[in-house]
Amino acid sequence: MLRFTPILLAILYAIAMYRFSSWRTARELDEKSTELADPTLAALTKRMAQSLDLPRIRVNIYEIDPVNGLAAPDGRIFITRGFYERYRAGEVTAEELASVIAHELGHVALGHSRRRMIDFSGQNAIRTALVMVLGRFVPGIGPLIANALTSLLAARLSRGDEYEADAYAAALLHKSGIGIEAQKSLFRKLDAMNTAGRGVPAWLMSHPKTGERIAALESLQDRWAALER
């Protein structure tokens, strides 16, 4: 029985971590967000809502500075104040910001947002169990190995989710008549911000390489064009 104690502790830890993380995330977003009220963006989200047969798509402004968009586990969509200010300054177009909203809608529709919360808790549980087990056999470096293994797992899951959300957003933007050129141009702009030494936009962190994302979108465009011939 004692052999299974680390595993049982890890499972209990994962459950507790999931519940606490869900509560803390919801509270943070409630306290620091307001509904986005921008007529130009509202017109674009209305077109996307019609394509999805939804009455509306509500977008919230999350009052933090990093350039980011996110989908909460409860399905809410957020654009950070930092991202919105880039739009107001003319650095990002309304269509480009709409592509971010479409991407985050993809995370919700595909179940990524809720699963990520579970994955986060699960990864912490796996890390805890590995530290306990490896610590017995390789004292000192056991925690380092555990952290490396769980980080690799998280990165692989994240990249797969991003490609799927990109494809969902592209299909939605195409169906809505907005097109996916704005989606590609936004990737290039954010990548340029990083190259220019302005700091990595949070929306690019833990994501696939920009060139690979654009290539995947262009592959989708080629397939759609072939079907329309």
Side-chain angles (χ1 to χ4, degrees):
M1 181 64 183
L2 291 177
R3 289 183 301 173
F4 298 104
T5 298
I7 298 174
L8 293 173
L9 288 173
I11 293 171
L12 292 172
Y13 178 80
I15 294 171
M17 195 68 181
Y18 171 71
R19 291 184 179 279
F20 176 73
S21 297
S22 297
W23 171 81
R24 185 176 61 180
T25 298
R27 182 177 177 181
E28 167 83 6
L29 293 174
D30 287 341
E31 291 176 349
K32 294 186 178 181
S33 66
T34 55
E35 185 171 1
L36 172 64
D38 182 282
T40 304
L41 288 170
L44 293 173
T45 56
K46 182 178 179 180
R47 290 163 65 177
M48 290 192 286
Q50 290 172 341
S51 296
L52 294 170
D53 293 324
L54 295 174
R56 64 177 295 215
I57 294 171
R58 174 171 173 163
V59 181
N60 303 284
I61 292 286
Y62 184 25
E63 298 293 343
I64 60 173
D65 292 330
V67 174
N68 208 354
L70 64 147
D74 60 11
R76 289 181 293 170
I77 304 298
F78 295 85
I79 296 295
T80 63
R81 174 62 65 181
F83 220 150
Y84 183 64
E85 291 304 321
R86 294 288 175 91
Y87 156 68
R88 292 190 62 185
E91 297 179 47
V92 174
T93 69
E95 289 76 15
E96 287 168 342
L97 202 55
S99 76
V100 177
I101 295 168
H103 177 92
E104 300 305 329
L105 283 169
H107 282 312
V108 172
L110 298 169
H112 297 161
S113 304
R114 186 174 294 276
R115 194 187 75 208
R116 278 180 174 183
M117 185 66 75
I118 297 171
D119 285 345
F120 173 75
S121 303
Q123 287 157 23
N124 279 323
I126 291 170
R127 183 183 291 109
T128 301
L130 285 174
V131 167
M132 291 178 179
V133 174
L134 293 174
R136 297 179 180 180
F137 298 99
V138 280
I141 64 171
L144 296 177
I145 297 173
N147 286 332
L149 290 173
T150 49
S151 295
L152 287 172
L153 173 62
R156 183 172 181 179
L157 290 171
S158 178
R159 285 194 296 269
D161 285 355
E162 295 309 319
Y163 281 123
E164 290 180 4
D166 282 350
Y168 179 97
L172 176 56
L173 294 166
H174 179 74
K175 184 178 180 181
S176 304
I178 299 170
I180 69 173
E181 290 307 315
Q183 192 178 10
K184 294 191 291 183
S185 65
L186 178 67
F187 289 158
R188 296 188 184 100
K189 284 182 180 180
L190 295 180
D191 204 34
M193 290 178 193
N194 178 31
T195 304
R198 298 179 62 181
V200 181
W203 207 60
L204 288 184
M205 295 178 69
S206 76
H207 286 49
K209 292 181 180 178
T210 298
E212 294 173 359
R213 296 177 79 176
I214 292 174
L217 292 176
E218 290 175 341
S219 177
L220 280 175
Q221 283 181 300
D222 291 341
R223 274 187 274 169
W224 293 339
L227 291 173
E228 291 171 358
R229 287 173 192 157

